[in-house]
């Protein structure tokens, strides 16, 4: 039911009929179709200017000849205006065919098989051990979760990876601090905050007592060498951090297939260094080993420090190769803030220089900064907004609104979670990911604006209309759906599959957010201007089917951006 394709095919038939001898005409007529700026100019306009040369005829004359050969009024009628041929859908048939196509497999509307047989690795969230989960990790987590769902829906096999930041000399320092001043029960209870305190104290005291640094280094060495005690403390730090993160993931409905982080890749860097060496890519630079990227206008990529230690970059090369060899991906996505733009450009270039022809399957999916009610999330005054606090507050606020608007609702707490979290996630995925986000409560939780709660509320409204509907035996009369509001809604529903495909192609969940929001807005407009349940059962049946198609498509759209869809609000 792709109307663009159908009108394109129709234009092709007309062209064939009007100019059977013509040569050298464009192949893909559907791609030439334009959406006219005004409804009075039709649903699609076909510009005849591009045919002028091949047909040796002025565009208005071409349009006129094409119009004369039109003979499919059941699809669309045509009008020529200047050099354009305007197509007007046959409204009744459009409604019938589209709704039948959607209702044939409602939960699959917008799905495709584009990705069949292909694998996408999606890396997101990638939190750091012994650090708090702050607002900066919100975007990567929700963009990645949404992209995973979108890729799945487009037929890809996906592998989601939380690439833990769990390697570095700081962990040696943390163990040293724990051994000196730490308390097991306190760390268990205080979690990451307690670990941070230990780390801060270590750095403070090391300024007075530099011998501490050696102690830290020694413990890190023990981690590297696989010392029992060091490893068990290190693993425990990890468990405590992940335990807290899991709470956030549970609230968001986020899951990962793998938690293989930097510590796993640190074991695989020997091979990387050897390979770089063999391929003649390593150079000395003040004792350190680098890949020179000057010919590509980039700073050098640092592979080994002068003490022989590997770096973030080295581990990322190992991780890329590991992912290719383990998952045989066709696309490998890194959902990471744009600050790491250069790092990924360098990484992909080095993979290419190493001769990996799959380097161009790796993509950095960058996103902008998040601030909170006008304040950067970590200012010099130490104002840090933590994700778990934000989500808790969102649920409390949503609960307060529900208590005010629908005090009798069952399951209030659960709905408050869905709505509060939905507001936060929606706000994150509302605009192009590269744009900076400023999060404001009043904006995110406004039930009337373009927000998560507004779209969820529209879904609940569709559910409520369908709950109240009587059993109808009559077949739907699609002539009841030829008004402008129904048609606007149908057009949006018909374009939903294109939106999902484009979101997948451009790794841009906001395209789905927008398409879903537009459907919700159009449904509400329809709902206010038309009676859905009226005396004519066949007309009622058609309007209920339209409502059902909206309900399903909105639910799919919400799911794809990571929101739940409560049936009552
Ligand atoms: N853990 C890092 C951070 O929080 C992000 C890791 C990004 N992924 C990667 N493959 N380098 O900043």
């Amino acid at each position: 039911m792709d109307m663009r394709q159908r009108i394109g095919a129709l234009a092709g038939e007309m062209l064939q009929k009007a100019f059977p001898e013509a040569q050298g005409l464009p192949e893909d007529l559907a791609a030439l179709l334009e959406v006219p700026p005004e409804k009075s100019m039709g649903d699609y306009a076909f510009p005849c200017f591009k045919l002028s040369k091949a047909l040796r005829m002025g565009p208005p004359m071409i349009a006129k000849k094409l119009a004369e050969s039109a003979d499919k009024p059941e699809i669309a009628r045509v009008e020529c205006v200047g050099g354009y041929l305007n197509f007007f859908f046959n409204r009744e048939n459009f409604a019938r065919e589209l709704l039948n196509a959607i209702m044939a497999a409602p939960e699959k509307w917008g799905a495709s098989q584009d990705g069949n047989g292909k694998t996408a690795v999606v890396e997101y969230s990638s939190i750091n051990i012994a650090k708090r989960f702050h607002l900066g990790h919100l975007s990567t987590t929700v963009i990645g979760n949404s992209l995973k769902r979108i890729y799945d829906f487009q037929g890809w096999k996906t592998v989601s990876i939380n690439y833990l930041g769990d390697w570095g000399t700081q962990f040696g320092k943390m163990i040293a601090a724990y051994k000196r001043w730490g308390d097991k029960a306190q760390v268990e209870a205080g979690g990451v905050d307690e670990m941070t305190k230990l780390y801060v104290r270590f750095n403070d005291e090391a300024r007075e007592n530099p011998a501490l640094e050696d102690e830290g280094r020694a413990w890190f060495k023990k981690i590297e060498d696989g010392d029992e005690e060091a490893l068990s403390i290190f693993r425990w730090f990890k468990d405590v951090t992940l335990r807290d993160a899991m709470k956030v993931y549970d609230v968001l409905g986020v899951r990962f297939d793998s938690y293989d982080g930097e510590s796993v890749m640190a074991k695989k860097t020997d091979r990387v260094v050897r390979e770089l060496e063999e391929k003649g890519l390593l150079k000395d630079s003040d004792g350190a080993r680098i890949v020179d990227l000057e010919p590509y206008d980039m700073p050098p990529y640092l592979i080994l420090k002068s003490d022989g230690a590997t770096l973030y970059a080295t581990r990322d090369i190992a991780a890329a190769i590991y992912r290719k060899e383990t998952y045989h991906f066709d696309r490998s996505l890194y959902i990471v803030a744009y600050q790491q733009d250069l790092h990924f450009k360098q990484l992909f270039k080095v993979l290419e220089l190493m001769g990996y022809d799959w380097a161009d399957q790796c993509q950095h999916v960058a996103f902008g900064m998040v601030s909170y009610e006008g304040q950067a999330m970590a200012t010099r005054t130490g104002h840090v907004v933590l994700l778990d606090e934000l989500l808790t507050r969102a649920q409390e606020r949503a609960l307060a609104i529900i208590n005010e608007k629908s005090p009798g609702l069952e399951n209030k707490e659960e709905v408050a979670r869905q709505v509060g979290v939905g507001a936060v996630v929606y706000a994150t995925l509302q605009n192009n990911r590269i744009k900076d986000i400023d999060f404001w409560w009043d904006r995110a939780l406004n039930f009337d604006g373009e927000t998560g709660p507004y779209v969820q509320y529209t879904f609940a409204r569709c559910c409520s209309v369908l709950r109240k509907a009587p059993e109808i035996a009559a077949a739907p009369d699609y002539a009841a759906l030829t008004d402008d509001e129904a048609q606007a809604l149908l057009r949006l529903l018909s374009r939903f599959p294109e939106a999902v495909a484009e979101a997948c192609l451009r790794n841009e969940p906001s395209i789905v957010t927008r398409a879903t929001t537009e459907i919700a807005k159009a449904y509400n407009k329809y709902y206010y201007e038309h009676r859905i349940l009226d005396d004519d059962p066949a007309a009622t049946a058609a309007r209920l089917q339209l409502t059902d198609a909206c309900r399903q498509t909105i639910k799919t759209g919400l799911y794809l951006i990571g929101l739940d869809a409560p049936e009552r609000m």
Side-chain angles (χ1 to χ4, degrees):
M1 255 320 280
D2 185 336
M3 284 308 277
R4 177 184 282 274
Q5 288 307 326
R6 290 190 62 176
I7 299 292
L10 186 57
E13 285 173 32
M14 290 159 65
L15 201 54
Q16 175 66 31
K17 220 162 128 209
F19 304 96
E21 315 283 284
Q23 302 276 321
L25 296 173
E27 292 272 315
D28 189 359
L29 299 180
L32 294 181
L33 292 172
E34 295 172 11
V35 178
E38 275 165 54
K39 285 229 181 63
S40 63
M41 298 157 83
D43 295 291
Y44 280 113
F46 181 72
C48 298
F49 310 93
K50 299 231 166 79
L51 309 179
S52 198
K53 209 168 153 207
L55 297 173
R56 290 196 212 94
M57 197 183 277
M61 192 61 191
I62 299 175
K64 189 161 165 286
K65 284 212 176 296
L66 284 177
E68 282 163 12
S69 69
D71 67 350
K72 288 264 173 66
E74 69 280 10
I75 300 179
R77 73 182 167 79
V78 296
E79 257 175 28
C80 48
V81 179
Y84 281 98
L85 193 61
N86 293 340
F87 288 83
F88 296 78
F89 296 169
N90 177 317
R91 292 186 162 199
E92 186 179 336
N93 277 339
F94 174 50
R96 174 182 303 110
E97 290 185 23
L98 177 68
L99 289 176
N100 284 329
I102 297 177
M103 296 323 286
E107 62 291 339
K108 286 262 149 69
W109 187 245
S112 85
Q113 260 105 60
D114 289 355
N116 272 9
K118 289 190 281 186
T119 299
V121 166
V122 190
E123 185 216 292
Y124 53 100
S125 204
S126 299
I127 51 167
N128 300 317
I129 296 305
K131 288 218 186 111
R132 285 298 288 265
F133 206 138
H134 59 69
L135 213 47
H137 284 111
L138 177 63
S139 302
T140 165
T141 307
V142 307
I143 293 171
N145 184 47
S146 170
L147 287 178
K148 176 184 159 53
R149 291 180 181 196
I150 289 171
Y151 272 76
D152 281 334
F153 203 52
Q154 292 296 100
W156 292 70
K157 176 177 181 295
T158 59
V159 180
S160 52
I161 301 181
N162 192 340
Y163 183 61
L164 300 178
D166 57 0
W167 199 248
T169 47
Q170 73 272 24
F171 296 108
K173 296 180 190 179
M174 241 173 262
I175 294 181
Y178 174 71
K179 292 292 288 179
R180 277 175 171 257
W181 317 296
D183 177 83
K184 183 148 182 127
Q186 229 164 334
V187 174
E188 281 288 348
V192 165
D193 287 345
E194 208 53 43
M195 295 181 222
T196 311
K197 270 188 218 152
L198 286 171
Y199 186 58
V200 169
R201 177 160 177 196
F202 181 94
N203 285 325
D204 286 347
E205 302 215 2
R207 260 189 296 272
E208 311 292 311
N209 175 11
L212 270 182
E213 294 285 357
D214 292 329
E215 231 175 279
R217 260 191 291 275
W219 276 107
F220 184 61
K221 179 93 178 42
K222 284 188 178 182
I223 300 178
E224 284 186 301
D225 295 344
D227 172 83
E228 233 5 272
E229 184 185 11
L231 277 189
S232 80
I233 300 175
F234 177 49
R235 264 194 227 115
W236 172 58
F237 283 167
K238 237 163 113 165
D239 289 344
V240 172
T241 309
L242 278 176
R243 187 188 65 198
D244 287 349
M246 283 302 170
K247 288 185 203 143
V248 174
Y249 295 143
D250 280 344
V251 171
L252 290 171
V254 170
R255 289 281 169 280
F256 299 94
D257 299 313
S258 160
Y259 289 86
D260 284 346
E262 293 189 45
S263 68
V264 175
M265 299 311 149
K267 302 269 172 299
K268 303 181 190 294
T269 49
D270 284 355
R271 163 187 163 184
V272 171
V273 175
R274 212 180 322 119
E275 219 179 295
L276 286 165
E277 199 81 70
E278 279 163 17
K279 291 178 175 161
L281 291 166
L282 284 188
K283 266 193 185 169
D284 257 320
S285 167
D286 298 328
R289 307 286 281 163
I290 59 152
V291 179
D292 179 18
L293 295 175
E294 201 174 342
Y296 313 99
D297 287 327
M298 285 188 273
Y301 208 39
L302 195 48
I303 302 294
L304 283 178
K305 285 200 265 188
S306 48
D307 63 4
T310 62
L311 288 122
Y312 182 57
T314 331
R315 294 189 284 279
D316 250 330
I317 301 175
I321 297 172
Y322 175 77
R323 289 173 195 178
K324 184 68 186 182
E325 291 179 351
T326 310
Y327 307 114
H328 310 286
F329 60 69
D330 299 275
R331 211 178 273 181
S332 180
L333 306 180
Y334 297 81
I335 324 295
V336 183
Y338 71 81
Q339 282 91 337
Q340 296 199 33
D341 229 8
L342 177 62
H343 168 74
F344 286 106
K345 282 206 180 89
Q346 293 173 306
L347 171 63
F348 302 156
K349 179 51 85 180
V350 170
L351 290 170
E352 184 193 316
L353 294 174
M354 291 174 85
Y356 291 118
D357 58 1
W358 46 264
D360 61 356
Q361 295 173 338
C362 300
Q363 295 176 1
H364 175 208
V365 178
F367 56 83
M369 294 266 288
V370 184
S371 55
Y372 178 81
E373 307 226 315
Q375 286 197 287
M377 58 191 194
T379 62
R380 248 162 281 157
T381 53
H383 168 94
V384 179
V385 180
L386 298 166
L387 190 49
D388 48 355
E389 286 170 14
L390 182 85
L391 293 174
T392 307
R393 233 177 297 167
Q395 297 175 66
E396 285 165 7
R397 287 185 186 230
L399 187 60
I401 297 175
I402 292 168
N403 276 330
E404 190 192 307
K405 291 198 173 192
S406 14
L409 186 73
E410 273 177 48
N411 266 334
K412 270 193 277 189
E413 314 282 277
E414 174 59 4
V415 176
R417 181 192 68 77
Q418 296 173 316
V419 173
V421 170
V424 172
V425 172
Y426 183 101
T428 312
L429 298 178
Q430 186 167 17
N431 294 309
N432 286 8
R433 56 183 156 73
I434 203 65
K435 275 200 184 169
D436 292 345
I437 299 169
D438 193 10
F439 184 86
W440 293 79
W441 282 114
D442 292 346
R443 239 187 267 153
L445 277 169
N446 184 344
F447 278 48
D448 297 320
E450 298 192 349
T451 63
Y454 169 79
V455 180
Q456 287 171 319
Y457 190 76
T458 312
F459 169 77
R461 164 169 287 160
C462 293
C463 292
S464 147
V465 168
L466 292 165
R467 265 197 307 271
K468 290 186 193 127
E471 280 292 335
I472 297 175
D477 175 9
Y478 296 101
L481 301 180
T482 52
D483 58 88
D484 286 350
E485 292 74 30
Q487 289 286 312
L489 183 49
L490 288 162
R491 245 189 309 269
L492 292 168
L493 289 171
S494 80
R495 289 194 198 133
F496 184 74
E498 280 172 51
V500 182
E502 201 182 330
C504 186
L505 186 73
R506 293 174 29 200
N507 299 315
E508 186 59 82
S510 66
I511 297 173
V512 175
T513 315
R514 239 171 281 138
T516 311
T517 306
E518 289 307 314
I519 291 169
K521 279 161 67 178
Y523 184 78
N524 286 321
K525 191 161 161 46
Y526 181 73
Y527 177 88
Y528 286 120
E529 296 189 17
H530 298 274
R531 278 178 62 94
I532 293 186
L533 308 176
D534 78 0
D535 303 335
D536 177 356
T540 301
R543 295 192 192 111
L544 286 173
Q545 208 175 63
L546 179 61
T547 300
D548 205 9
C550 283
R551 179 184 72 85
Q552 269 298 344
T553 308
I554 292 173
K555 186 175 181 178
T556 299
L558 287 172
Y559 172 79
L560 291 177
I561 57 172
L563 269 70
D564 287 336
E567 294 187 2
R568 296 173 203 254
M569 271 174 73

